[in-house]
Protein backbone atom coordinates (compact mmCIF):
# COMPACT_ATOMS: atom_id res chain seq x y z
CA UNK A 1 0.00 0.00 0.00
CA UNK A 2 1.25 3.54 -0.70
CA UNK A 3 0.05 6.73 1.03
CA UNK A 4 1.27 10.22 1.76
CA UNK A 5 1.00 10.08 5.58
CA UNK A 6 0.99 6.81 7.53
CA UNK A 7 -0.65 7.33 10.92
CA UNK A 8 -0.01 4.89 13.78
CA UNK A 9 -2.93 4.96 16.24
CA UNK A 10 -6.65 5.48 15.70
CA UNK A 11 -7.47 7.48 18.83
CA UNK A 12 -8.45 11.16 18.75
CA UNK A 13 -5.00 12.28 17.52
CA UNK A 14 -4.71 9.81 14.67
CA UNK A 15 -8.25 10.13 13.40
CA UNK A 16 -8.34 13.92 13.64
CA UNK A 17 -5.07 14.14 11.69
CA UNK A 18 -6.43 11.80 9.04
CA UNK A 19 -9.61 13.86 8.82
CA UNK A 20 -7.84 17.23 8.55
CA UNK A 21 -5.43 15.93 5.89
CA UNK A 22 -8.26 14.37 3.87
CA UNK A 23 -10.18 17.66 3.83
CA UNK A 24 -7.10 19.24 2.22
CA UNK A 25 -6.68 16.42 -0.30
CA UNK A 26 -3.78 14.66 1.39
CA UNK A 27 -4.28 10.93 1.78
CA UNK A 28 -3.36 8.88 4.81
CA UNK A 29 -3.70 5.41 6.26
CA UNK A 30 -4.49 4.87 9.94
CA UNK A 31 -3.14 1.70 11.59
CA UNK A 32 -4.97 0.96 14.86
CA UNK A 33 -4.05 -2.11 16.90
CA UNK A 34 -7.41 -2.50 18.62
CA UNK A 35 -10.93 -3.11 17.33
CA UNK A 36 -13.19 -0.14 16.75
CA UNK A 37 -15.47 -1.37 19.53
CA UNK A 38 -12.54 -1.36 21.97
CA UNK A 39 -11.49 2.15 20.99
CA UNK A 40 -15.11 3.35 21.31
CA UNK A 41 -15.47 1.65 24.67
CA UNK A 42 -12.73 3.62 26.41
CA UNK A 43 -14.16 6.18 28.84
CA UNK A 44 -11.92 9.21 28.76
CA UNK A 45 -12.12 12.92 29.37
CA UNK A 46 -14.98 15.16 28.45
CA UNK A 47 -13.92 18.78 28.79
CA UNK A 48 -12.97 20.80 25.72
CA UNK A 49 -11.16 24.12 25.50
CA UNK A 50 -12.70 26.82 23.33
CA UNK A 51 -9.89 26.30 20.81
CA UNK A 52 -10.65 22.60 20.53
CA UNK A 53 -14.34 23.27 19.87
CA UNK A 54 -13.38 25.88 17.25
CA UNK A 55 -11.19 23.31 15.47
CA UNK A 56 -13.90 20.64 15.52
CA UNK A 57 -16.51 23.06 14.17
CA UNK A 58 -14.15 24.37 11.48
CA UNK A 59 -13.54 20.89 10.07
CA UNK A 60 -17.19 19.79 9.91
CA UNK A 61 -17.33 17.97 13.23
CA UNK A 62 -19.46 20.48 15.10
CA UNK A 63 -23.04 19.47 14.27
CA UNK A 64 -23.73 16.82 16.94
CA UNK A 65 -21.39 18.59 19.33
CA UNK A 66 -23.46 21.79 19.09
CA UNK A 67 -26.67 19.81 19.60
CA UNK A 68 -25.51 17.76 22.57
CA UNK A 69 -22.75 19.63 24.38
CA UNK A 70 -22.99 21.64 27.57
CA UNK A 71 -21.29 25.03 27.78
CA UNK A 72 -19.79 26.03 31.11
CA UNK A 73 -18.87 29.64 31.91
CA UNK A 74 -16.97 28.79 35.08
CA UNK A 75 -16.08 26.17 37.65
CA UNK A 76 -16.33 25.71 41.39
CA UNK A 77 -13.47 24.88 43.73
CA UNK A 78 -13.87 23.94 47.34
CA UNK A 79 -11.37 23.85 50.16
CA UNK A 80 -12.33 21.91 53.27
CA UNK A 81 -15.97 22.35 52.30
CA UNK A 82 -15.78 26.09 51.55
CA UNK A 83 -16.83 26.58 47.91
CA UNK A 84 -16.10 29.44 45.52
CA UNK A 85 -16.50 30.00 41.79
CA UNK A 86 -14.09 31.07 39.08
CA UNK A 87 -15.88 32.91 36.27
CA UNK A 88 -14.04 31.97 33.05
CA UNK A 89 -16.34 34.07 30.89
CA UNK A 90 -15.91 37.25 32.92
CA UNK A 91 -12.14 36.79 33.32
CA UNK A 92 -11.17 35.57 29.84
CA UNK A 93 -14.23 35.92 27.62
CA UNK A 94 -13.98 32.16 27.02
CA UNK A 95 -16.07 29.16 28.05
CA UNK A 96 -15.36 25.42 28.19
CA UNK A 97 -17.48 22.68 26.66
CA UNK A 98 -18.59 19.33 28.03
CA UNK A 99 -18.65 16.73 25.23
CA UNK A 100 -17.18 13.28 25.84
CA UNK A 101 -14.04 12.08 24.06
CA UNK A 102 -16.08 8.99 23.17
CA UNK A 103 -18.45 11.23 21.23
CA UNK A 104 -15.57 12.91 19.41
CA UNK A 105 -14.18 9.47 18.58
CA UNK A 106 -17.57 8.46 17.16
CA UNK A 107 -17.85 11.65 15.12
CA UNK A 108 -14.34 11.07 13.76
CA UNK A 109 -15.04 7.46 12.82
CA UNK A 110 -18.26 8.55 11.09
CA UNK A 111 -16.41 11.28 9.18
CA UNK A 112 -13.65 8.94 8.03
CA UNK A 113 -16.17 6.32 6.98
CA UNK A 114 -18.20 8.91 5.06
CA UNK A 115 -15.01 9.96 3.22
CA UNK A 116 -14.00 6.32 2.63
CA UNK A 117 -10.96 6.97 4.80
CA UNK A 118 -8.57 4.04 5.28
CA UNK A 119 -8.66 3.15 8.99
CA UNK A 120 -7.26 -0.36 9.50
CA UNK A 121 -8.13 -1.80 12.90
CA UNK A 122 -6.58 -4.82 14.57
CA UNK A 123 -3.29 -3.94 12.87
CA UNK A 124 -0.83 -5.91 14.95
CA UNK A 125 2.94 -5.57 15.40
CA UNK A 126 3.28 -2.27 13.58
CA UNK A 127 6.93 -1.63 12.79
CA UNK A 128 8.27 1.67 11.48
CA UNK A 129 11.26 1.75 9.12
CA UNK A 130 13.63 4.25 7.44
CA UNK A 131 12.17 7.39 8.99
CA UNK A 132 15.54 9.10 8.38
CA UNK A 133 14.99 8.66 4.65
CA UNK A 134 12.44 10.44 2.48
CA UNK A 135 10.70 7.09 1.95
CA UNK A 136 9.74 5.65 5.32
CA UNK A 137 7.69 2.46 5.37
CA UNK A 138 5.71 0.45 7.90
CA UNK A 139 4.83 -3.20 8.28
CA UNK A 140 1.97 -4.70 10.22
CA UNK A 141 0.19 -8.00 10.59
CA UNK A 142 -3.54 -8.61 10.27
CA UNK A 143 -5.44 -11.88 10.10
CA UNK A 144 -2.14 -13.69 9.89
CA UNK A 145 -1.04 -11.70 6.82
CA UNK A 146 1.98 -9.37 6.70
CA UNK A 147 1.41 -5.97 5.05
CA UNK A 148 3.63 -3.04 4.04
CA UNK A 149 2.73 0.66 3.81
CA UNK A 150 5.03 3.07 1.98
CA UNK A 151 4.63 6.74 2.89
CA UNK A 152 6.19 10.20 2.72
CA UNK A 153 5.68 10.80 6.45
CA UNK A 154 4.80 8.84 9.60
CA UNK A 155 2.64 10.31 12.38
CA UNK A 156 3.10 8.64 15.77
CA UNK A 157 -0.37 8.98 17.32
CA UNK A 158 -0.21 5.71 19.23
CA UNK A 159 -0.38 6.96 22.79
CA UNK A 160 1.87 6.51 25.79
CA UNK A 161 2.34 2.76 25.26
CA UNK A 162 2.76 3.02 21.51
CA UNK A 163 5.62 1.94 19.28
CA UNK A 164 6.45 5.21 17.51
CA UNK A 165 8.35 6.90 20.36
CA UNK A 166 10.68 3.89 20.51
CA UNK A 167 11.83 4.64 16.96
CA UNK A 168 13.67 7.76 18.16
CA UNK A 169 17.22 6.68 19.11
CA UNK A 170 17.78 6.81 22.87
CA UNK A 171 20.83 9.02 22.26
CA UNK A 172 18.46 11.67 20.92
CA UNK A 173 15.33 11.09 23.01
CA UNK A 174 15.04 13.01 26.27
CA UNK A 175 12.12 12.18 28.57
CA UNK A 176 10.86 14.04 31.62
CA UNK A 177 8.50 12.37 34.09
CA UNK A 178 6.81 12.83 37.41
CA UNK A 179 4.70 9.99 38.78
CA UNK A 180 2.21 11.09 41.46
CA UNK A 181 1.81 8.98 44.62
CA UNK A 182 -1.93 8.50 44.12
CA UNK A 183 -4.53 7.73 41.46
CA UNK A 184 -8.06 8.74 40.50
CA UNK A 185 -10.96 6.36 40.91
CA UNK A 186 -13.58 7.43 38.41
CA UNK A 187 -17.19 6.33 37.98
CA UNK A 188 -19.89 7.04 35.46
CA UNK A 189 -23.40 6.99 36.92
CA UNK A 190 -26.79 7.49 35.23
CA UNK A 191 -27.70 10.21 37.71
CA UNK A 192 -28.19 13.98 37.40
CA UNK A 193 -25.02 15.95 38.11
CA UNK A 194 -24.73 17.42 41.58
CA UNK A 195 -24.02 20.88 40.15
CA UNK A 196 -24.46 22.76 36.86
CA UNK A 197 -20.69 23.25 36.69
CA UNK A 198 -17.70 21.17 37.81
CA UNK A 199 -16.58 21.16 41.43
CA UNK A 200 -12.88 20.53 42.18
CA UNK A 201 -12.64 19.63 45.88
CA UNK A 202 -9.52 19.85 48.02
CA UNK A 203 -10.07 17.99 51.28
CA UNK A 204 -7.95 16.52 54.07
CA UNK A 205 -9.23 13.07 53.07
CA UNK A 206 -8.12 13.67 49.47
CA UNK A 207 -9.20 15.24 46.20
CA UNK A 208 -12.63 14.78 44.61
CA UNK A 209 -14.13 16.03 41.35
CA UNK A 210 -17.76 16.33 40.28
CA UNK A 211 -18.11 16.35 36.52
CA UNK A 212 -20.66 15.17 33.98
CA UNK A 213 -21.25 13.97 30.41
CA UNK A 214 -24.78 15.39 30.13
CA UNK A 215 -27.69 16.29 32.43
CA UNK A 216 -28.49 12.62 33.12
CA UNK A 217 -24.98 11.16 33.20
CA UNK A 218 -22.53 12.13 35.92
CA UNK A 219 -18.80 11.57 36.10
CA UNK A 220 -17.19 11.59 39.57
CA UNK A 221 -13.63 11.01 40.76
CA UNK A 222 -12.00 10.54 44.16
CA UNK A 223 -8.26 10.49 44.83
CA UNK A 224 -7.24 6.97 45.80
CA UNK A 225 -4.06 5.01 46.52
CA UNK A 226 -1.86 4.55 43.47
CA UNK A 227 -2.28 0.78 43.75
CA UNK A 228 -6.04 0.83 44.41
CA UNK A 229 -8.27 -1.47 42.36
CA UNK A 230 -11.94 -1.08 41.50
CA UNK A 231 -12.58 -4.11 43.69
CA UNK A 232 -11.42 -2.01 46.68
CA UNK A 233 -14.20 0.48 45.91
CA UNK A 234 -17.72 -0.92 45.77
CA UNK A 235 -20.26 1.76 44.85
CA UNK A 236 -21.39 2.34 48.46
CA UNK A 237 -17.85 3.04 49.60
CA UNK A 238 -17.33 5.37 46.66
CA UNK A 239 -20.47 7.40 47.33
CA UNK A 240 -19.73 7.66 51.06
CA UNK A 241 -16.18 8.89 50.41
CA UNK A 242 -17.26 11.32 47.72
CA UNK A 243 -19.96 12.75 49.97
CA UNK A 244 -17.41 13.30 52.76
CA UNK A 245 -15.15 15.34 50.47
CA UNK A 246 -17.84 17.52 48.90
CA UNK A 247 -18.96 20.89 50.23
CA UNK A 248 -22.03 20.37 52.40
CA UNK A 249 -24.59 21.81 49.98
CA UNK A 250 -23.33 19.57 47.17
CA UNK A 251 -23.21 16.54 49.48
CA UNK A 252 -26.84 17.15 50.37
CA UNK A 253 -27.81 17.31 46.67
CA UNK A 254 -25.80 14.26 45.61
CA UNK A 255 -27.93 11.68 43.76
CA UNK A 256 -26.25 8.30 43.94
CA UNK A 257 -26.83 5.33 41.67
CA UNK A 258 -25.16 2.25 40.26
CA UNK A 259 -21.87 2.82 38.44
CA UNK A 260 -21.99 1.93 34.73
CA UNK A 261 -18.24 2.37 34.46
CA UNK A 262 -15.56 2.35 37.15
CA UNK A 263 -11.80 2.58 36.67
CA UNK A 264 -8.60 3.61 38.41
CA UNK A 265 -6.24 5.90 36.52
CA UNK A 266 -2.63 6.50 37.56
CA UNK A 267 -1.45 10.10 37.51
CA UNK A 268 1.76 11.08 35.80
CA UNK A 269 3.34 14.00 33.97
CA UNK A 270 5.48 12.93 31.04
CA UNK A 271 7.10 14.72 28.11
CA UNK A 272 9.28 13.22 25.37
CA UNK A 273 11.59 15.49 23.40
CA UNK A 274 11.96 15.96 20.49
CA UNK A 275 8.54 15.28 18.96
CA UNK A 276 10.17 14.65 15.58
CA UNK A 277 12.82 12.35 14.16
CA UNK A 278 13.39 12.50 10.43
CA UNK A 279 10.04 11.90 8.76
CA UNK A 280 8.42 10.66 12.03
CA UNK A 281 6.31 13.16 13.98
CA UNK A 282 4.83 12.40 17.44
CA UNK A 283 1.52 13.88 18.58
CA UNK A 284 -0.80 13.52 21.56
CA UNK A 285 -0.22 10.96 24.28
CA UNK A 286 2.65 9.43 22.26
CA UNK A 287 4.66 12.52 23.20
CA UNK A 288 3.17 13.69 26.50
CA UNK A 289 0.92 12.73 29.39
CA UNK A 290 -0.65 15.11 31.89
CA UNK A 291 -2.54 14.35 35.11
CA UNK A 292 -6.25 14.82 34.33
CA UNK A 293 -6.64 17.59 36.93
CA UNK A 294 -6.36 20.33 34.34
CA UNK A 295 -8.38 18.47 31.68
CA UNK A 296 -5.57 19.02 29.16
CA UNK A 297 -4.90 15.57 27.65
CA UNK A 298 -7.35 15.65 24.78
CA UNK A 299 -6.96 19.40 24.21
CA UNK A 300 -3.17 19.08 23.93
CA UNK A 301 -3.59 16.24 21.43
CA UNK A 302 -5.83 18.47 19.31
CA UNK A 303 -3.38 21.38 19.34
CA UNK A 304 -0.51 19.05 18.36
CA UNK A 305 -2.59 17.77 15.45
CA UNK A 306 -3.56 21.26 14.30
CA UNK A 307 0.13 22.26 14.18
CA UNK A 308 1.21 18.99 12.53
CA UNK A 309 -1.54 19.05 9.90
CA UNK A 310 -0.73 22.69 9.03
CA UNK A 311 2.94 21.79 8.68
CA UNK A 312 2.25 18.75 6.47
CA UNK A 313 -0.09 20.76 4.26
CA UNK A 314 2.56 23.49 3.90
CA UNK A 315 4.92 20.76 2.63
CA UNK A 316 2.46 19.45 0.07
CA UNK A 317 0.86 22.75 -0.96
CA UNK A 318 3.84 25.14 -0.85
CA UNK A 319 6.83 22.81 -0.97
CA UNK A 320 8.11 24.33 2.26
CA UNK A 321 9.29 22.32 5.28
CA UNK A 322 9.66 25.37 7.58
CA UNK A 323 6.65 24.44 9.72
CA UNK A 324 7.68 20.78 9.81
CA UNK A 325 11.15 21.84 10.96
CA UNK A 326 9.68 24.00 13.75
CA UNK A 327 6.83 21.62 14.69
CA UNK A 328 8.59 20.00 17.64
CA UNK A 329 9.74 23.23 19.30
CA UNK A 330 6.42 24.95 18.60
CA UNK A 331 4.35 22.06 19.97
CA UNK A 332 6.59 21.63 23.02
CA UNK A 333 6.19 25.29 24.02
CA UNK A 334 2.45 24.72 24.37
CA UNK A 335 2.89 21.25 25.85
CA UNK A 336 5.14 22.47 28.65
CA UNK A 337 2.73 25.28 29.57
CA UNK A 338 -0.08 22.72 29.84
CA UNK A 339 2.19 20.31 31.75
CA UNK A 340 3.05 23.07 34.20
CA UNK A 341 -0.59 24.03 34.71
CA UNK A 342 -1.72 20.42 35.15
CA UNK A 343 1.10 19.81 37.63
CA UNK A 344 0.22 22.98 39.54
CA UNK A 345 -3.50 22.14 39.78
CA UNK A 346 -2.59 18.63 40.91
CA UNK A 347 -0.24 19.89 43.62
CA UNK A 348 -2.71 22.37 45.10
CA UNK A 349 -5.71 20.04 45.13
CA UNK A 350 -4.44 16.62 46.22
CA UNK A 351 -3.32 15.29 49.58
CA UNK A 352 0.24 14.04 49.15
CA UNK A 353 1.12 11.11 51.44
CA UNK A 354 3.69 12.21 53.96
CA UNK A 355 2.92 15.88 53.48
CA UNK A 356 3.43 17.56 56.83
CA UNK A 357 1.54 20.49 58.25
CA UNK A 358 3.63 23.02 56.29
CA UNK A 359 2.60 21.66 52.89
CA UNK A 360 -1.02 21.45 53.94
CA UNK A 361 -0.99 25.05 55.17
CA UNK A 362 0.57 26.19 51.90
CA UNK A 363 -2.18 24.36 49.97
CA UNK A 364 -4.87 26.00 52.09
CA UNK A 365 -3.21 29.40 51.50
CA UNK A 366 -3.11 28.73 47.74
CA UNK A 367 -6.84 28.00 47.70
CA UNK A 368 -7.57 30.95 49.99
CA UNK A 369 -5.57 33.24 47.65
CA UNK A 370 -7.48 31.84 44.65
CA UNK A 371 -10.80 32.45 46.39
CA UNK A 372 -10.03 36.13 46.99
CA UNK A 373 -7.73 37.28 44.15
CA UNK A 374 -9.02 38.17 40.68
CA UNK A 375 -5.42 38.07 39.44
CA UNK A 376 -4.95 34.52 40.72
CA UNK A 377 -8.31 33.45 39.30
CA UNK A 378 -7.41 34.97 35.92
CA UNK A 379 -4.20 32.92 35.76
CA UNK A 380 -6.17 29.73 36.43
CA UNK A 381 -8.95 30.70 34.00
CA UNK A 382 -6.51 31.61 31.20
CA UNK A 383 -4.76 28.25 31.44
CA UNK A 384 -7.89 26.17 32.02
CA UNK A 385 -9.81 27.59 29.04
CA UNK A 386 -6.71 27.11 26.86
CA UNK A 387 -3.69 29.13 25.88
CA UNK A 388 -3.60 30.36 22.26
CA UNK A 389 -1.53 28.42 19.72
CA UNK A 390 1.99 29.85 19.52
CA UNK A 391 2.78 31.36 16.11
CA UNK A 392 4.99 29.41 13.75
CA UNK A 393 8.49 30.69 14.49
CA UNK A 394 11.21 30.18 11.84
N1 LIG B 1 0.06 0.08 16.83
C1 LIG B 1 -1.14 0.61 16.46
N2 LIG B 1 -1.94 1.30 17.29
C2 LIG B 1 -1.50 1.49 18.55
C3 LIG B 1 -0.26 0.99 19.01
C4 LIG B 1 0.53 0.27 18.09
N3 LIG B 1 1.72 -0.23 18.45
N4 LIG B 1 -0.11 1.35 20.33
C5 LIG B 1 -1.22 2.04 20.67
N5 LIG B 1 -2.06 2.13 19.61
C6 LIG B 1 -3.36 2.79 19.55
C7 LIG B 1 -4.20 2.62 20.81
O1 LIG B 1 -4.98 1.43 20.74
C8 LIG B 1 -5.06 3.87 20.79
O2 LIG B 1 -6.30 3.65 20.12
O3 LIG B 1 -3.12 4.18 19.46
C9 LIG B 1 -4.24 4.89 19.99
C10 LIG B 1 -3.72 6.02 20.88
O4 LIG B 1 -4.85 6.75 21.33
P1 LIG B 1 -4.80 7.55 22.74
O5 LIG B 1 -4.04 6.74 23.73
O6 LIG B 1 -6.22 7.95 23.05
O7 LIG B 1 -3.92 8.85 22.43
P2 LIG B 1 -4.31 10.14 21.56
O8 LIG B 1 -5.00 9.73 20.29
O9 LIG B 1 -3.08 10.93 21.51
O10 LIG B 1 -5.41 10.90 22.43
C11 LIG B 1 -5.09 11.52 23.62
O11 LIG B 1 -6.63 10.16 24.77
O12 LIG B 1 -5.63 8.89 26.40
C12 LIG B 1 -6.42 9.99 26.19
O13 LIG B 1 -6.11 11.50 27.99
C13 LIG B 1 -5.75 11.22 26.66
O14 LIG B 1 -7.62 12.51 26.14
C14 LIG B 1 -6.30 12.22 25.73
C15 LIG B 1 -6.36 11.50 24.42
C1 LIG C 1 -14.18 14.52 33.13
O1 LIG C 1 -15.34 14.96 32.97
O2 LIG C 1 -13.87 13.32 32.88
C2 LIG C 1 -13.10 15.46 33.65
C3 LIG C 1 -13.36 16.81 33.74
C4 LIG C 1 -12.38 17.67 34.22
C5 LIG C 1 -11.14 17.16 34.61
C6 LIG C 1 -10.89 15.78 34.51
C7 LIG C 1 -11.87 14.93 34.03
O3 LIG C 1 -10.17 17.99 35.10
Amino acid sequence: MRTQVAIVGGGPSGLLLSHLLARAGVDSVVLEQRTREYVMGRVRAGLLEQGTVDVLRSCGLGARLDRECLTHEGTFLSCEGRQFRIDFKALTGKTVTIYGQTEIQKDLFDARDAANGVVIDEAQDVDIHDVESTAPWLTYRKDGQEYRVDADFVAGCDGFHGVSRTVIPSRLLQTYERVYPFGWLGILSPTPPVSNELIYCQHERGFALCSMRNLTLSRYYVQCDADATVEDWPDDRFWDELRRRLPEAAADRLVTGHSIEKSVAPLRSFVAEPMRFGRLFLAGDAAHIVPPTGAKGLNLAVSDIVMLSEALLEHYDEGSDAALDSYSSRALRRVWKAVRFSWWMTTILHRFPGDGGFAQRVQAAELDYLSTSIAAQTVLAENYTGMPLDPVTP
Side-chain angles (χ1 to χ4, degrees):
M1 201 183 317
R2 167 118 194 94
T3 187
Q4 291 174 291
V5 182
I7 300 170
V8 187
S13 296
L15 288 186
L16 180 60
L17 178 59
S18 180
H19 177 68
L20 293 174
L21 292 175
R23 285 174 63 90
V26 173
D27 67 67
S28 63
V29 169
V30 177
L31 300 180
E32 164 56 48
Q33 71 178 357
R34 302 284 189 170
T35 62
R36 186 173 287 205
E37 293 66 35
Y38 182 93
V39 173
M40 282 302 299
R42 291 188 301 225
V43 177
R44 291 284 173 70
L47 191 134
L48 308 181
E49 295 172 358
Q50 184 91 50
T52 297
V53 173
D54 294 345
V55 167
L56 294 174
R57 285 183 181 137
S58 69
C59 67
L61 294 172
R64 191 161 74 96
L65 182 152
D66 284 332
R67 285 198 308 273
E68 300 180 9
C69 76
L70 299 173
T71 300
H72 287 186
E73 299 192 353
T75 191
F76 292 101
L77 285 88
S78 81
C79 173
E80 298 301 335
R82 191 168 50 82
Q83 181 175 304
F84 60 97
R85 183 171 183 267
I86 294 186
D87 189 336
F88 301 143
K89 183 87 172 170
L91 295 167
T92 69
K94 291 183 181 178
T95 60
V96 292
T97 297
I98 294 289
Y99 187 68
Q101 177 170 316
T102 307
E103 308 314 321
I104 295 175
Q105 192 78 46
K106 180 182 183 324
D107 295 340
L108 282 165
F109 274 129
D110 291 349
R112 298 308 300 128
D113 291 348
N116 297 314
V118 182
V119 179
I120 298 169
D121 61 12
E122 297 185 276
Q124 303 298 320
D125 304 328
V126 172
D127 262 337
I128 304 169
H129 311 269
D130 290 351
V131 293
E132 291 187 87
S133 77
T134 56
W137 51 286
L138 293 81
T139 52
Y140 68 94
R141 200 170 43 76
K142 182 174 169 101
D143 303 331
Q145 285 274 85
E146 184 87 8
Y147 295 89
R148 171 172 169 145
V149 181
D150 289 278
D152 300 332
F153 297 98
V154 181
C157 302
D158 47 351
F160 183 66
H161 301 288
V163 64
S164 55
R165 196 172 62 246
T166 67
V167 173
I168 301 179
S170 54
R171 72 179 191 284
L172 297 177
L173 186 70
Q174 183 70 48
T175 60
Y176 304 86
E177 185 167 39
R178 171 152 301 185
V179 177
Y180 298 91
F182 41 74
W184 277 20
L185 177 80
I187 72 161
L188 208 52
S189 67
T191 54
V194 76
S195 161
N196 62 345
E197 292 175 336
L198 273 58
I199 311 177
Y200 288 83
C201 309
Q202 188 230 48
H203 193 277
E204 63 179 2
R205 296 179 62 87
F207 170 79
L209 171 60
C210 302
S211 184
M212 63 198 77
R213 288 294 174 270
N214 55 51
L215 297 179
T216 59
L217 192 59
S218 297
R219 179 71 167 161
Y220 294 108
Y221 299 94
V222 294
Q223 173 184 345
C224 63
D225 293 341
D227 60 358
T229 64
V230 293
E231 290 70 30
D232 299 331
W233 286 87
D235 285 6
D236 289 348
R237 180 187 176 196
F238 180 90
W239 292 122
D240 291 344
E241 190 58 44
L242 176 68
R243 197 178 275 112
R244 295 169 79 157
R245 302 182 185 185
L246 295 186
E248 190 177 345
D252 293 344
R253 287 196 309 268
L254 182 64
V255 177
T256 63
H258 67 287
S259 57
I260 56 177
E261 192 274 348
K262 190 185 290 181
S263 52
V264 178
L267 268 66
R268 81 172 73 238
S269 300
F270 174 85
V271 180
E273 295 183 2
M275 291 173 58
R276 182 253 180 109
F277 176 62
R279 289 269 175 130
L280 168 69
F281 293 83
L282 303 183
D285 275 16
H288 42 73
I289 296 288
V290 286
T293 326
K296 289 297 164 202
L298 176 58
N299 293 294
L300 264 186
V302 171
S303 51
D304 285 353
I305 292 303
V306 168
M307 294 184 216
L308 181 54
S309 60
E310 287 173 353
L312 288 166
L313 294 178
E314 184 188 81
H315 167 87
Y316 285 111
D317 297 346
E318 300 167 32
S320 160
D321 284 356
L324 284 173
D325 293 342
S326 63
Y327 165 74
S328 180
S329 59
R330 184 187 179 205
L332 283 168
R333 277 189 68 196
R334 190 174 192 326
V335 163
W336 274 110
K337 281 183 258 187
V339 165
R340 179 211 66 83
F341 173 67
S342 304
W343 162 83
W344 172 76
M345 268 194 87
T346 302
T347 57
I348 70 169
L349 289 171
H350 290 75
R351 183 61 71 228
F352 283 69
D355 256 3
F358 176 82
Q360 291 170 21
R361 287 288 186 280
V362 167
Q363 273 188 337
E366 186 89 55
L367 270 290
D368 185 27
Y369 176 50
L370 263 175
S371 70
T372 56
S373 162
I374 291 302
Q377 292 182 11
T378 304
V379 169
L380 187 151
E382 182 183 44
N383 282 273
Y384 193 92
T385 56
M387 303 296 279
L389 290 193
D390 295 288
V392 179
T393 48

